[in-house]
Amino acid sequence: MPAPESKEPKVEIKDEKMTDANTVEKPKSPEEIASLVLNDIKQNFGFLEKAAVNFEPRFSMRVLRGLGNLRRRLTPDILVNAVDAAYPSPSHRSAALILKYLGKEVSGMEIDESSSSSSTPAVLPEIDIYLLVLLQVFLLDQGDIAKLNSFNDEAITILRGYNRRTLDALAAKMWFYYAHGKELDKQLVELRPLLLAVLRTSTLRHDTETRAMLTTLLLRNYLHTQAISQAHQLVLKADFPESAATSVVARYLYYVGRIKAIQLDYSAANESLIGAIRKAPQTSYAAGFLQAAHKLKVIIELLMGDIPERSLFRETMYEKALSPYMELVKAVRIGEVPQFSEAIEKYGAVFKKDGTYMLILRLRQNVIKTGIRMMSLSYSKISLRDICIRLHLDSEESAEYIVAKAIRDGVIEATIDHEKGFMQSKEILDIYSTQEPNMAFHERIKFCISLHNESVKAMRYPMNQHRVELKNVEEAREREKELASEIQEGDIEDEDGDFDGL
């Protein structure tokens, strides 16, 4: 029998998603967006005041971390309003400089050089430099390099007039945009003496952030001008501070990896690049840096005789950027010299733009060695003539030389019969009877220990906490002394027992 119909009233279930979709807020007007951006800037003023009063650099770093999101919404009107909120008068030196490069005509803008500075209320230096950095970013995004460099020259003069440790993070950021503007204007060699002088000054002042940033900028400068020996000397003699910002450390390790790779120290270069990739922000904002680091790491792994993991080339962030390098990996893995040459000819312009072309040319010997190794595994005996034909070598003498070098380097286990002209492969030994598993295990242990040590160094503790603990201990001792003196003088009655044991 059919089930009886229910007499309960039907309740209509509203679709929450549709309701939410119907109540979506309207897009904000430009005036509302400008007001929100200005409020964010004013909030950053408060963080900078906390950093200056409490001598806590994490507040300054918090402000700088929000710079990337803020710079996309900056407009001249917002910067003018920020100047009005920060400076007591438009005749202030920095305020006049900012308004001049924004093209804003303000009455009474002319600065009377003879007027005393005491007539104008002081502005917190951290806020002063922060607004100068905002204008640097704005001019850079506008693409007016000449105007940016002109402003940078005047802004750096203001920065060098301060000597406050709470300005270190902001000063490092200003020097970064200063060097970037000069680099875009092709003034690399002219910039170098100033960077070296400021690096020396920051070292004497124990300015960690500026010293780390300038070391990184100098390495980039040297690499752009192919001054590899000078860059190597800087790495050896300049003590890079380990307590610097993580992003700066990542860039430093990347440049060190490039230097080591050019100097044929592939193992050290690989370690530096692993550290750079691990310390870099794993977000879309750092996609360019991560792609460049992985490109160089793939080439170095191939030069070391290793094959990168295929999963790396399938990730969304790296799939398109690493597609030319995937062709190289395929050619090296199977030891095909013609395929390797085709990849270089096809993607040569990309490799030159990435700065990896000269390193890729070194891979030809690795391709040949891989081909020889594949043949030694496939054939117990093969003639040198066949090796010459398969690897597209010039002569049998070249094949004999290459095979002999591969045997000496430990690439293959074989012998050469020079009279009959063939290569005889030896029986494959059990790899677990060699030292290779121990070496791989040692490398993993070394990596884990270094990761633990870096994690311990990165731990933060409250500043001056030990002084509070010492003060509490001293107060406790004073109370004990007062209590003991009162007991000896008989001011406290013996109600709880005998105090002779005390």
Side-chain angles (χ1 to χ4, degrees), residues 165 168 202 205-213 241-244:
R165 296 288 67 79
D168 291 350
S202 62
R205 292 179 175 179
H206 300 283
D207 185 350
T208 302
E209 295 295 335
T210 306
R211 180 156 56 101
M213 180 63 74
E242 297 181 357
S243 59

Side-chain angles (χ1 to χ4, degrees), residues 255-490:
Y255 294 136
V256 171
R258 292 191 68 90
I259 296 169
K260 296 295 183 183
I262 295 172
Q263 294 179 332
L264 306 177
D265 192 355
Y266 300 130
S267 59
N270 190 44
E271 291 181 3
S272 297
L273 289 173
I274 290 174
I277 294 171
R278 181 159 48 86
K279 289 181 177 295
Q282 304 298 317
T283 61
S284 58
Y285 294 108
F289 176 81
L290 291 173
Q291 290 172 1
H294 277 293
K295 289 175 183 178
L296 185 58
K297 186 175 181 295
V298 166
I299 301 302
I300 290 174
E301 286 183 355
L302 293 175
L303 289 170
M304 294 173 64
D306 300 330
I307 302 298
E309 295 290 338
R310 184 180 291 270
S311 59
L312 172 66
F313 301 93
R314 295 177 179 174
E315 295 185 18
T316 306
M317 187 183 296
Y318 311 123
E319 184 176 5
K320 184 177 180 180
L322 295 182
S323 58
Y325 295 85
M326 185 64 180
E327 300 296 328
L328 289 177
V329 173
K330 292 179 180 178
V332 174
R333 186 176 64 84
I334 61 178
E336 288 289 339
V337 177
Q339 185 177 351
F340 176 76
S341 301
E342 290 177 3
I344 292 181
E345 184 177 357
K346 183 177 180 181
Y347 299 106
V350 178
F351 298 147
K352 289 178 181 178
K353 182 179 179 181
D354 296 338
T356 57
Y357 185 75
M358 298 305 296
L359 293 175
I360 291 173
L361 293 180
R362 301 179 187 176
L363 282 174
R364 188 173 186 275
Q365 295 298 325
N366 292 60
V367 177
I368 295 174
K369 288 180 181 179
T370 304
I372 293 174
R373 186 172 181 272
M374 297 293 291
M375 285 185 283
S376 69
L377 296 175
S378 303
Y379 303 97
S380 60
K381 182 188 295 186
I382 185 171
S383 65
L384 296 176
R385 180 175 180 79
D386 291 337
I387 294 176
C388 180
I389 294 173
R390 288 172 181 268
L391 297 179
H392 301 273
L393 300 177
D394 298 332
S395 62
E396 295 184 20
E397 288 77 10
S398 300
E400 184 177 1
Y401 168 75
I402 292 173
V403 171
K405 191 173 185 302
I407 294 173
R408 187 195 66 180
D409 295 341
V411 177
I412 60 175
E413 294 288 338
T415 57
I416 301 177
D417 192 331
H418 300 281
E419 295 180 357
K420 298 182 180 180
F422 65 85
M423 180 186 71
Q424 179 74 41
S425 301
K426 296 181 180 179
E427 294 184 3
I428 301 175
L429 299 176
D430 184 11
I431 191 173
Y432 290 100
S433 63
T434 63
Q435 292 294 325
E436 188 170 347
N438 292 336
M439 294 173 62
F441 188 55
H442 174 71
E443 289 296 328
R444 294 182 181 182
I445 293 175
K446 183 180 177 182
F447 175 79
C448 292
I449 292 175
S450 63
L451 179 62
H452 173 267
N453 292 337
E454 291 179 3
S455 301
V456 171
K457 291 178 181 178
M459 294 176 66
R460 291 182 175 178
Y461 300 93
M463 293 187 65
N464 301 327
Q465 185 66 25
H466 63 286
R467 297 182 181 178
V468 177
E469 295 177 356
L470 291 175
K471 183 179 180 181
N472 294 337
V473 171
E474 292 177 356
E475 291 177 355
R477 288 178 179 174
E478 291 293 334
R479 288 196 299 268
E480 289 178 1
K481 290 180 180 179
E482 293 176 0
L483 181 61
S485 61
E486 290 177 359
I487 291 172
Q488 291 178 359
E489 295 174 359

Side-chain angles (χ1 to χ4, degrees), residues 229-246:
S229 59
Q230 297 180 18
H232 179 62
Q233 291 297 321
L234 179 64
V235 172
L236 292 179
K237 296 182 179 180
D239 186 15
F240 187 83
E242 297 181 357
S243 59
T246 309

